[in-house]
Amino acid sequence: MKGLLRSIGKKVRSDLRAAITAPYRAYLTVRYAIEDVRDGDRTATDVAKSAGATVGAVFMVILLLFPLYWILAASLAADARLMSSEGIFPSRSEFGFGAYRWVLTDSDFFYALGNSLIVVTVTITVGFAMIVPGAYALSRRQFVGRKKILYGYVLFTQVGAGLGIAALIALYAIFSNFGLTNNLVVLGVFYAAGAVPFNTWLLKTYMDNIPVSYEEAAVVDGAGLWDTLREIIIPLSKPGLAVVLIFLWLAGWNEFIIAQTMLRPENYTLSVELYQLATAGRYETPWTEFAAFAILFAAPVAIIYFLAQRYVESGLSFGGMEG
């Protein structure tokens, strides 16, 4: 854990250093391009193509970030409008933090946050308890029915996410008969079960790329199965585990339909509470409060992804090398 936190700290410092020095590096790039054209190492056409590609990439980034800027501007507006009479953005002269104060002091944000954290904690705990041993067994062991299980995992990877929604009425009837509705722990277990097929397959493909010779060397030194798993496989699988962590977090944090169906108001999660805020008004929606709530709801996912970005990128690319 200390090594992981140290790596995250280095990544944050590296990103901050890159952001601070970005203007200077852009200046050097322009200067070197001019010198190359002057010395004949590059043609003006090549430089123009590079500049055009850069401008196009910047434009695409701005286009993709536009909705985020708009919702952030709406959360700072002084009234319930998403647009002003002068344009599509609220008036900047009326910006304030009243919507955030309302969310943090007058709404049920923290109560719903506690419910969401319970669901996410159960989802991650149960998910890892099922995914890590399953991925290791499918990657390293040969047993009867292994291929059928793998094919079944592929099938549920494609259709598993929609099964709960497609069978929502039957699912609610089963939960209700066993008295399991309005239970945050049961909801977290259900989310974990739905996330098992895809994440087990993903982690299994990552473990396939870890040389078996590492385990054989550990066995020669006297390590047992759990020692090998704890000291060899899990440390070398950190990028794959980071990807699984992100997906399990999203499974418990973002899901709305099943949570809204199974839970009663006292146990609403943040996603359901956000929906209730959007539909509570009879004649109008409190857009500024909704925007502030949405920003705070999305912030933890963005922070976690930012901190685990390096592991996520290497886990997705390396784990997809072979199936």
Side-chain angles (χ1 to χ4, degrees):
M1 180 60 71
K2 291 182 179 180
L4 177 60
L5 293 177
R6 192 179 300 112
S7 299
I8 291 175
K10 290 181 179 178
K11 175 64 169 56
V12 172
R13 289 194 296 271
S14 176
D15 290 341
L16 290 176
R17 191 180 303 112
I20 293 173
T21 60
Y24 179 70
R25 287 185 286 108
Y27 161 75
L28 290 179
T29 301
V30 174
R31 195 182 81 177
Y32 292 153
I34 294 175
E35 291 178 355
D36 288 343
V37 172
R38 186 179 301 159
D39 297 338
D41 296 331
R42 298 174 64 185
T43 65
T45 302
D46 292 336
V47 174
K49 289 180 180 179
S50 299
T54 302
V55 172
V58 171
F59 175 76
M60 288 300 300
V61 170
I62 294 175
L63 192 63
L64 292 173
L65 292 179
F66 174 77
L68 179 61
Y69 174 75
W70 193 6
I71 200 72
L72 180 62
S75 71
L76 297 173
D79 51 34
R81 294 175 296 174
L82 288 178
M83 297 179 290
S84 69
S85 58
E86 300 176 356
I88 63 173
F89 296 110
S91 175
R92 296 180 182 178
S93 61
E94 300 177 354
F95 276 5
F97 295 96
Y100 289 95
R101 285 194 295 268
W102 180 88
V103 171
L104 297 176
T105 59
D106 297 334
S107 71
D108 294 328
F109 177 83
F110 286 107
Y111 193 81
L113 174 63
N115 295 335
S116 290
L117 290 177
I118 292 174
V119 172
V120 167
T121 301
V122 174
T123 302
I124 292 175
T125 303
V126 175
F128 270 114
M130 300 173 67
I131 291 168
V132 175
Y136 179 76
L138 292 170
S139 175
R140 289 296 196 262
R141 297 291 184 264
Q142 297 292 333
F143 51 86
V144 177
R146 177 179 176 273
K147 288 188 176 180
K148 292 182 179 180
I149 293 176
L150 285 173
Y151 291 147
Y153 270 33
V154 172
L155 175 63
F156 280 103
T157 294
Q158 301 300 318
V159 303
L163 284 180
I165 298 175
L168 194 57
I169 297 176
L171 182 67
Y172 181 82
I174 294 173
F175 276 39
S176 180
N177 288 336
F178 286 95
L180 300 178
T181 58
N182 200 37
N183 191 311
L184 297 173
V185 175
V186 171
L187 187 64
V189 173
F190 177 81
Y191 289 155
V196 163
F198 173 78
N199 289 284
T200 302
W201 181 269
L202 179 66
L203 189 59
K204 178 259 181 194
T205 60
Y206 190 88
M207 289 182 177
D208 287 343
N209 293 282
I210 299 176
V212 180
S213 58
Y214 293 174
E215 296 177 73
E216 294 174 345
V219 171
V220 170
D221 291 339
L225 174 62
W226 291 108
D227 293 330
T228 302
L229 186 63
R230 184 178 65 252
E231 302 295 337
I232 304 296
I233 299 300
I234 291 181
L236 292 176
S237 300
K238 282 182 180 179
L241 293 173
V243 177
V244 172
L245 173 63
I246 294 294
F247 287 154
L248 286 175
W249 177 281
L250 293 176
W253 187 263
N254 286 345
E255 203 283 327
F256 158 74
I257 296 178
I258 296 176
Q260 198 268 343
T261 304
M262 298 296 173
L263 300 177
R264 289 194 284 271
E266 65 272 15
N267 278 337
Y268 277 168
T269 57
L270 282 174
S271 59
V272 182
E273 198 67 40
L274 182 61
Y275 171 78
Q276 294 297 319
L277 177 62
T279 58
R282 184 174 181 180
Y283 298 106
E284 66 175 2
T285 299
W287 289 115
T288 53
E289 288 82 2
F290 176 84
F293 201 115
I295 291 290
L296 295 175
F297 171 65
V301 178
I303 293 172
I304 289 176
Y305 182 81
F306 174 77
L307 295 177
Q309 180 181 3
R310 179 171 300 175
Y311 288 113
V312 170
E313 291 174 352
S314 60
L316 284 175
S317 59
F318 193 81
M321 288 176 63
E322 63 182 62

